[in-house]
Amino acid sequence: MRRVPSPVVVITAPDPLSDAPGRGITIGSFASVALDPPLVSFNVARDASMHRIMKSGVRYVVHVLGEGQAHLAKRFAEPGRTGHEQFDGVPHRVDDAGSPILESVGLALHCVPHDETEVADKTLFIGRVVQVDEDDDDGAVLYYRQDYRGVGRELPSSLLSPVKRASNDSS
């Protein structure tokens, strides 16, 4: 699976059991599920600190990181940090629902829980997008071959043309 690029997002949510601004987690399993209603999914390991928060049914925010925010992916992926340590020095604000919103992120999807299912040692969470905050588009961050990467350049249209087959016509 190292050869399958994964989108990188940071999910933040309020932590009702802490006085920290909330908690966050870097996710590499993010996917769009449906457009109508707008549903997204991701999984969280049951032993992750964020799992308890997600199971509590709070609203949360999915931050689609631009290439200029790759450092946030590393920060929120570090295990063992407290909520205070995660947000210390990271520009953010808290929305009306108590969710931390990372500043200068190109796309933030505000979600409410829709469904969840247990899968192996993880829980697959499905959220309904109820609000979208868009800012400047700074590309996207992918996880590929055990490292963070930018999306890269657009492919030339010549590479997107259908493959032409050799003709067997001998005329």
Side-chain angles (χ1 to χ4, degrees):
M1 295 305 293
R2 285 186 281 206
R3 304 237 354 237
V4 178
S6 302
V8 176
V9 300
V10 170
I11 295 176
T12 60
D15 184 351
L17 300 180
S18 170
D19 64 347
R23 285 210 61 90
I25 188 170
T26 300
I27 297 290
S29 61
F30 179 75
S32 172
V33 175
L35 296 177
D36 190 16
L39 300 175
V40 296
S41 71
F42 56 92
N43 62 55
V44 177
R46 282 194 218 120
D47 64 353
S49 298
M50 190 70 161
H51 189 266
R52 168 188 55 82
I53 294 169
M54 295 305 302
K55 290 290 282 185
S56 73
V58 297
R59 284 179 60 138
Y60 54 89
V61 180
V62 178
H63 301 85
V64 179
L65 301 179
E67 292 178 17
Q69 291 94 31
H71 64 284
L72 295 174
K74 285 190 172 193
R75 180 180 195 98
F76 285 95
E78 292 178 15
R81 281 185 182 251
T82 66
H84 286 290
E85 292 169 335
Q86 285 184 318
F87 289 96
D88 185 38
V90 175
H92 67 281
R93 61 183 171 79
V94 177
D95 70 7
D96 294 339
S99 295
I101 311 295
L102 303 178
E103 298 289 337
S104 303
V105 173
L107 183 64
L109 307 172
H110 300 254
C111 301
V112 295
H114 178 78
D115 201 0
E116 64 184 63
T117 189
E118 303 302 315
V119 182
D121 63 340
K122 297 173 177 44
T123 302
L124 176 69
F125 293 98
I126 298 174
R128 184 169 50 88
V129 179
V130 294
Q131 179 183 332
V132 176
D133 297 338
E134 287 187 85
D135 206 343
D136 294 334
D137 188 345
D138 184 28
V141 178
L142 299 176
Y143 195 73
Y144 178 70
R145 291 193 173 222
Q146 299 179 310
D147 203 3
Y148 297 106
R149 300 172 187 257
V151 168
R153 62 183 173 80
E154 186 175 338
L155 296 174
S157 59
S158 62
L159 293 177
L160 303 176
S161 299
V163 176
K164 295 182 181 176
R165 296 183 175 205
S167 174
N168 289 338
D169 187 9
S170 58
S171 52

